[in-house]
Amino acid sequence: MALPRRLKAPPTTWQRDVDVVVIGSGAAGLSAALAVRPVRSVLVVTKDVLEAGSTQWAQGGLAGVLDPADSTENHVRDTLVAGAGLCDEDVVRTLVEEAPASIRYLMRLGAAFDPSHDPVPRPGLDIDIALTREGGHSHDRIVHSGGDRSGAEVQRTLEESALGAGVDVMNHTFALDLVMGARDPERVAGVRVARTDVDGVVTSVGTITASAVVIASGGYGQVFASTSNPPAVTGDGIAMALRAGLAVRDLEFVQFHPTVLWRGPGARGQQALVSEAVRGEGAILYDAAGVRVMAGVHPQEDLAPRDVVSAAISARMAEAPGGVDDHVFLDATHLGARFHERFPSITAACREIGIEPATERIPVAPAAHYSCGGLTARLDGTTAMRGLFAVGEVTSTGVHGANRLASNSLTESIVSGTRLGRDLAWELPDRVAPAADVDEPTAGALLDPVRSRELRTAMSRHVGVVRDESGLAMALGATGSLARSASGDVAPSRESWEATNLLTIARAVVTAALARTESRGCHRRSDHPATDPAWVRHLSIGLDAVGDLDVATTPGP
Ligand code: SIN
């Protein structure tokens, strides 16, 4: 049942050397690359193309206090409340204080955020910018672009800026494993990568050596059958860190977005998001019997924090009102024709399934959306391993705690990536010689990619919005038998590496979810419904020398 400590791949045939290599090309990775580029050589590697990750799909926007009627204290408080006791207040405060500058920085880089249509401008607001609200926010503080195309605008801006600044890019390059120092096996010296064709077939394997390796590869939404995340989001960076001996924390906190478009029973893979900003603009959730879902559940009703709304929808679906147990409805018809202007992407997605959101209720259901846990890192990207840095969704910095506040993640990616890039521009870690490449075919058994469907189904069925011990035990059994099926005969390819990484992540998520015997934030256990003060602790998971997972807890903030 051991998980691989190294991904099987053909022998390395080439080597390249840069100052900084960044793995991943979303907002965090590109921010780091852009900030470091003026004085260092920097290479971004992405297993697909630059915009294949989650940033491109973000709808809501970036949270930041711009309105003088809002305050840092409000934003800090909202983040801490959503994070359910596991945020690090100092880190949250730093993020919130730097958020407005990060938004203005993006604007200076050319990001076009939507202007305000307020007939009366907000007193004291010195830029013409629309501010909206999402779940858990006590004030309007989300900036957006193209209505619901905020992430695409951030991605475009950062891509153009990074490429214009001379950041080098290797597309279709899969990061396999960290390469450690020859003399210092605790120190990262580079990364072993595989170049593939567009279908993921390996064309060559090489080593990129660098003074700094930055993991910015995003989360692991694709470990579930239904997710808002694009296909590339397979937890590669977290699996790679585990294989390198780095413990990761709080993986059980998977945020389920309350409202992805429900396209019918059995819809799988990436689902179209129906942004929380739709509820921010006044939309209301109803069950199939026409009864409100959020009335009386939380003081903020439809704009309660995401974990609360997802849990309430799941509970209501379990009661099968009107005979419907797999979706509810979002009514935004009060917006009328304005819906199309404000939410063009959501309109297009709805129309694809024959729904006219200006006049009809939208069928929605929760789906995996954001990985709140990850590699333990500071907001400046430093980790416990020398030479290794991490930024963005792949990390656990203390900002999100047990449940991320909406639209704090793009902001964190810009703040954190830019801080790291500036620091590395200022000073690089010492370079170390890489250990020689070794061929370990048995340690690198791969999961046959045809089995990943089974994996995802088991995860969605047993490790979804609401969990219990018997379901989690079934998921552990299912992932265990998949781990036993992994074999040295499976051919290395992007698909088989992704499947193997998903398996590692799935085992780690289930192990963590079993261990946390309480409900907190986006980890809900029907057999342990209370939040237990004894569990104000982080749950750390590591991979031991033989490929078994170890669990430990460390004190919370
Ligand atoms: C949304 O638009 O609802 C998603 C925003 C986010 O996840 O931060």
Side-chain angles (χ1 to χ4, degrees), residues 19 94 193-194 213 224 278 463 533 557:
D19 292 331
T94 305
V193 301
V213 175
F224 294 90
V278 178
V463 199

Side-chain angles (χ1 to χ4, degrees), residues 112-471:
F113 293 120
D114 292 334
S116 162
H117 294 293
D118 293 343
V120 182
R122 290 170 194 256
L125 182 59
D126 60 355
I127 39 176
D128 182 17
I129 198 163
L131 299 174
T132 192
R133 196 176 297 212
E134 288 180 299
H137 288 273
S138 59
H139 204 93
D140 295 353
R141 63 170 79 97
I142 319 294
V143 302
H144 47 84
S145 177
D148 56 10
R149 295 179 179 145
S150 310
E153 179 62 3
V154 171
Q155 182 78 25
R156 180 200 67 75
T157 304
L158 289 170
E159 264 183 46
E160 284 182 15
S161 304
L163 295 176
V167 168
D168 206 356
V169 176
M170 264 191 189
N171 284 331
H172 301 295
T173 303
F174 197 101
L176 297 164
D177 278 301
L178 295 171
V179 175
M180 309 310 287
R183 294 229 182 95
D184 185 353
E186 307 283 297
R187 166 79 166 82
V188 174
V191 58
R192 188 170 60 115
V193 301
R195 304 214 71 179
T196 72
D197 66 13
V198 290
D199 298 319
V201 176
V202 187
T203 54
S204 71
V205 175
T207 302
I208 301 167
T209 50
S211 294
V213 175
V214 178
I215 303 184
S217 52
Y220 46 86
Q222 284 289 333
V223 83
F224 294 90
S226 172
T227 172
S228 62
N229 295 182
V233 183
T234 53
D236 306 322
I238 294 175
M240 181 167 71
L242 279 167
R243 287 194 295 273
L246 202 67
V248 298
R249 73 177 189 188
D250 297 346
L251 295 192
E252 66 277 26
F253 295 118
V254 177
Q255 183 174 77
F256 289 82
H257 196 288
T259 59
V260 301
L261 184 64
W262 182 84
R263 291 181 299 159
R268 311 181 69 78
Q270 186 183 9
Q271 310 296 312
L273 194 62
V274 179
S275 176
E276 212 159 54
V278 178
R279 277 174 286 129
E281 304 278 346
I284 304 284
L285 286 159
Y286 291 92
D287 66 25
V291 178
R292 279 190 65 182
V293 176
M294 292 307 299
V297 174
H298 188 276
Q300 285 171 289
E301 298 197 328
D302 294 81
L303 278 176
R306 225 165 248 189
D307 56 325
V308 176
V309 183
S310 288
I313 292 175
S314 291
R316 188 62 65 89
M317 291 191 313
E319 292 164 11
V324 175
D325 66 358
D326 52 5
H327 62 282
V328 294
F329 293 89
L330 185 62
D331 188 340
T333 53
H334 69 290
L335 290 173
R338 206 167 82 71
F339 191 97
H340 310 153
E341 280 160 42
R342 178 66 181 87
F343 302 111
S345 309
I346 301 170
T347 302
C350 288
R351 285 180 178 165
E352 264 177 35
I353 61 160
I355 299 287
E356 180 46 64
T359 54
E360 289 175 273
R361 290 182 177 176
I362 306 168
V364 291
H369 182 60
Y370 192 86
S371 318
C372 298
L375 274 81
T376 311
R378 296 195 189 87
L379 202 57
D380 63 5
T382 49
T383 72
M385 206 170 248
R386 279 180 300 143
L388 184 69
F389 302 84
V391 283
E393 187 175 350
V394 77
T395 63
S396 167
T397 59
V399 165
H400 306 308
N403 176 47
R404 177 185 61 108
L405 184 68
S407 287
N408 267 355
S409 44
L410 275 180
T411 308
E412 185 193 30
S413 290
I414 309 296
V415 167
S416 194
T418 305
R419 278 175 153 236
L420 171 61
R422 282 195 214 130
D423 289 351
L424 292 175
W426 188 252
E427 186 176 15
L428 280 178
D430 293 338
R431 180 170 290 267
V432 293
D437 195 20
V438 280
D439 198 14
E440 300 171 63
T442 48
L446 297 174
L447 181 66
D448 187 333
V450 297
R451 308 290 304 270
S452 26
R453 189 183 167 102
E454 246 170 271
L455 178 77
R456 292 178 164 116
T457 302
M459 290 298 287
S460 275
R461 187 166 299 152
H462 302 302
V463 199
V465 178
V466 183
R467 305 153 175 186
D468 64 24
E469 186 174 356
S470 71

